[in-house]
Amino acid sequence: MTETASGADDERTLLADRLAAVRARVAAACAAAGRDPRSVRVLLATKTVDAARVRAALAADASAVEADPSLAPVLIGENRVQELVAKGPDLADLAPVTHLIGPLQSNKVNAALRWVSCVESVESIALARRLSERCTDRAVPLAVLVQVNVSGEPTKHGVPHEAATDLAIAVAALPGLRLAGFMTVGLRSPDPVAVGAGYAALAALRDDVVASGAPGTAQARGLSMGMSGDLEIAVRHGATLVRVGSAVFGARPPL
C-alpha cells in the first residue's frame, strides 16, 4: 500500500469514527427525550472542507448505512454558494442530498438551484419570490425552510421571531416551493437553559404555523437546529435535523 493510500484510509477511518460518535450522541439524546432516533437526520456542514474530504466522509457514511440499513444517510450543507458550485461537480457522482444553509443573494439563486434540493436560509419574502419564480415549472417543488433569528443577536441571520409566522405563511403559498419547516442558529451562550429557550421558541412557532390551517403549512414540521456543540439541547426540543461540522471534520482553519 502506498503512503498516499494509507493516508486516505486513515482519514476515512477517522471520519467514520467521528460520524459514529455523532450518531451515538444523537441516539442518546433521542433516548433521553423519549424520541425515535430515526426522527433526527444528520447534516454535515462542509464550509471550508474540500471536496476530497467530503467524499471521504460520504464514503464512510455509506459503509455505515450498508452495515446498518436502519440508519438514514447523512445530508450535506454548504454555507456559501461559491463553495457549493466549486464542489458540486466533484461530488455529483455520489448524488448527495445537499442543502444550502447559508445566506443566499438573489443574483446567486440560479447557481444554487443547480445543486441543492433545499434552501434552509429563506429570511425574506423577496428571496422566497425569487426562488418561486425559478421553481414554478419544476416537477418537484423546492423544499425551503424559513430561517428565524430566535436569539435576536445582530450577528445572526434570519427573520425576527415576531415576523416569522407571517413570512412562513406567505412563503407556503408561493408556487414551486414547499415549506418544509424552520431553521435557526442557536444562541451563542454557555447557558444551556438560555440556548434551549431559543430552540423551544422555534418549536412553538412551528407548531403554531402548522396548526394555522394556512395553505401549504400542514407539512412544515421540520426543525433544523443544533450544531456540534449543542445538538443534545436541540434534540431535546424537537430538532429533526442537526448540522454538524467540527464534530466530524475538526476545527475550521482560521480565516
Side-chain angles (χ1 to χ4, degrees):
M1 180 182 295
T2 67
E3 183 177 344
T4 301
S6 176
D9 287 344
D10 289 345
E11 172 74 354
R12 180 168 166 175
T13 298
L14 174 63
L15 292 171
D17 290 345
R18 288 174 173 175
L19 273 168
V22 166
R23 289 190 186 279
R25 287 175 61 189
V26 170
C30 285
R35 298 181 58 191
D36 184 340
R38 292 173 295 182
S39 67
V40 182
R41 297 288 299 274
V42 174
L43 178 146
L44 299 181
T46 53
K47 180 180 178 180
T48 74
V49 181
D50 62 51
R53 292 193 76 208
V54 178
R55 287 187 69 89
L58 291 173
D61 183 66
S63 295
V65 172
E66 184 178 4
D68 182 356
S70 70
L71 299 176
V74 297
L75 301 85
I76 62 174
E78 284 289 352
N79 286 76
R80 300 167 176 165
V81 175
Q82 182 178 354
E83 285 193 61
L84 175 69
V85 171
K87 297 174 198 174
D90 293 329
L91 303 175
D93 62 302
L94 301 178
V97 177
T98 304
H99 290 195
L100 182 66
I101 59 176
L104 177 59
Q105 298 174 346
S106 292
N107 63 348
K108 295 183 179 179
V109 163
N110 288 347
L113 289 178
R114 181 178 177 185
W115 301 107
V116 302
S117 61
C118 178
V119 175
E120 295 197 14
S121 48
V122 174
E123 58 181 351
S124 71
I125 191 61
L127 174 59
R129 286 172 177 156
R130 179 75 168 176
L131 290 167
S132 174
E133 290 170 1
R134 295 296 181 268
C135 295
T136 301
D137 296 330
R138 287 169 62 127
V140 178
L142 175 72
V144 297
L145 305 182
V146 168
Q147 182 172 359
V148 184
N149 185 349
V150 295
S151 70
E153 295 169 279
T155 57
K156 295 280 198 312
H157 287 278
V159 62
H161 184 275
E162 60 272 17
T165 296
D166 288 344
L167 176 60
I169 290 173
V171 170
L174 292 173
L177 304 184
R178 177 176 65 85
L179 181 65
F182 299 83
M183 185 267 264
T184 196
V185 177
L187 176 68
R188 187 179 180 87
S189 170
D191 181 358
V193 174
V195 175
Y199 291 152
L202 190 71
L205 171 69
R206 184 272 315 271
D207 292 345
D208 288 344
V209 170
V210 170
S212 71
T217 60
Q219 302 303 314
R221 299 184 178 278
L223 290 175
S224 175
M225 58 189 195
M227 297 187 288
S228 294
D230 65 357
L231 66 84
E232 287 85 359
I233 302 173
V235 169
R236 185 186 317 142
H237 290 286
T240 62
L241 183 68
V242 292
R243 309 182 303 274
V244 297
S246 60
V248 173
F249 296 112
R252 294 193 184 104
L255 299 177

